[in-house]
Amino acid sequence: MQKKIKGTNDILPGFLGEGVFVSEFWQKIEEEILNIAGLYSYREIRTPIFENTEVFVKGIGDTSDIVTKEMYTFSDRGDRSMTLRPEGTASIVRSYIENSIMKKEPISRFFYGGPMFRAERPQKGRYRQFHQFGVECIGGDSAKYDIEVISLFWILLSRLGLKDMELVINSVGNTQSRAVYLDKLKIYFKDKLDGMCKECKDRYEKNILRMLDCKVDGCQDILNAVPSIIDSLSQESKDFFNGVKDGLENLGIPYIISNRLVRGLDYYTETAFEIIHGGIGAQSTIVGGGRYNDLILQSGGNSVPAVGAAFGIERLLLALLDEGVISPVDNEPFYFIVLLDKEMEADAQKILYDLRLEGIPSTESDGSRNMAKQLKLADKSGARFAVFIGGDEWTASSVMLKDLKTSKQNEISFKDSDPLSVLTSFFKETDK
Ligand code: HAM
């Protein structure tokens, strides 16, 4: 038997799937995503699933975990290095520059979604193929855009019914003030490294800021006493961070500040933020994002400020299921055709076709079973009404309907019209 690749998942319809991997839950989230994008006037951008490897190495940073350990990189037939996208921002920046979007509008508001690929060790909430929804607001240098992005996710999660969520914010400053801070960190950790984990020792050399993200128990005492990044910020960065805090307070969005929130991608400047959830285990970050004022310039474009964020649909669903606040979208048919007379198969198929043409969700059993078995299938399908085709009533020009919720039968004559008109009117008159 062929098996799916470790860290990937099949998302199946509700009666076949389980928990997070039920397609009707995904549709619910996708529905809300389109609603929130409409509310905030964000428009969809779709970029390819693979790009030249350079796009991600330059964009995400060649010392980040994603680039050094997690990318699915391969050579194509022309021996060019390609990579399956591990995230969306770098590709969108590539597209923004390539399509000269800067010349077409001062502020671009994009949303995107789809599968992303990272070769991480799979566990609950962490997969090798996962699905992100993200937004990028490109062109604005005011804190109001950071607030716009944060509030978009805050409203989306609230509309979905999530309660136990926490917004954590920090500032990683601009390049200059960060350089000052990195020097402070070098001095602080220098004589403490012996007592720290191997990864911290590694990061001390390659990407010292990421030491703050270490979760190893033995490192926590040292990390908790680390100098605060906020104290090293330039006045400009401090003012910007205050602007973000004031903006959140103005909207009544609660937050906590964590000096150790540094994010795993190297492109962030100024604001970094995450929305976390307590009920989903070690992988508790649902939404992650921040400002990236230098990325477009570094990627070959002009100096254009930007801010964005993304969440993993799988993790959001874990959180919503943990709180029991999500119900699947309703894809159930209205009519279920029960065929009583095999001779009428062609008529039944025509009625089914016409009902669908009218936009009435309808289905059937395979027609080869007896009535009781067909009714059982009708119940299982979640349909509202069974429609009996054939039998004495049909011969006498009326259609029998069975309400599958109440089991009440209803006979409607089609003497003066035809079965389709009767079924269409009944559909329109019935409370869905
Ligand atoms: P990120 O923090 O790497 O940021 O990913 C954002 C979200 O994607 C995470 O908070 C998590 O919900 C989900 N996620 C990441 N990796 C996995 C995984 N292996 N399995 C399941 N879910 C995962 C970014 O990707 C940035 N591009 C966000 C951003 C947009 N920043 C600015 N603009």
Side-chain angles (χ1 to χ4, degrees), residues 66 87-89 112 118 120 125-127 130 132 135-136 263 265 267-268 285-290 292 308-312 315:
I66 295 181
E87 58 110 47
T89 313
Y112 57 93
R118 295 185 194 175
E120 297 191 79
R126 187 162 72 189
Y127 311 100
F130 61 99
Q132 271 188 355
V135 305
E136 309 297 344
R263 310 273 304 124
L265 305 103
Y267 48 61
Y268 292 109
T285 304
I286 308 176
V287 182
Y292 51 96
F311 69 73
R315 278 195 207 168

Side-chain angles (χ1 to χ4, degrees), residues 47-51 55-61 64 66-67 70-71 83-94 112-118 128 130-132 134 136 263-268 288-289 292 295 308-310:
T47 58
I49 276 178
F50 65 114
E51 300 265 1
V55 169
F56 303 116
V57 174
K58 274 206 163 147
I60 300 168
S64 65
I66 295 181
V67 169
E70 296 168 4
M71 293 205 305
T83 295
L84 296 182
R85 62 178 183 194
E87 58 110 47
T89 313
S91 309
I92 288 163
V93 164
R94 192 267 311 137
Y112 57 93
M116 309 287 163
F117 306 86
R118 295 185 194 175
R128 291 185 168 169
F130 61 99
H131 299 77
Q132 271 188 355
E136 309 297 344
R263 310 273 304 124
L265 305 103
D266 289 352
Y267 48 61
Y268 292 109
Y292 51 96
L295 180 58

Side-chain angles (χ1 to χ4, degrees), residues 39-109:
L39 273 176
Y40 273 78
S41 295
Y42 276 63
R43 288 161 306 156
E44 189 176 15
I45 181 167
R46 297 188 192 208
T47 58
I49 276 178
F50 65 114
E51 300 265 1
N52 289 313
T53 301
E54 233 0 61
V55 169
F56 303 116
V57 174
K58 274 206 163 147
I60 300 168
D62 52 11
T63 55
S64 65
D65 283 356
I66 295 181
V67 169
T68 52
K69 302 186 211 157
E70 296 168 4
M71 293 205 305
Y72 282 100
T73 297
F74 58 95
S75 296
D76 76 352
R77 287 165 192 270
D79 226 14
R80 289 165 290 242
S81 179
M82 317 252 144
T83 295
L84 296 182
R85 62 178 183 194
E87 58 110 47
T89 313
S91 309
I92 288 163
V93 164
R94 192 267 311 137
S95 172
Y96 181 84
I97 299 168
E98 190 173 348
N99 292 296
S100 306
I101 296 174
M102 189 190 143
K103 294 195 190 123
K104 297 168 189 159
E105 54 180 7
I107 307 281
S108 295
R109 292 179 166 89

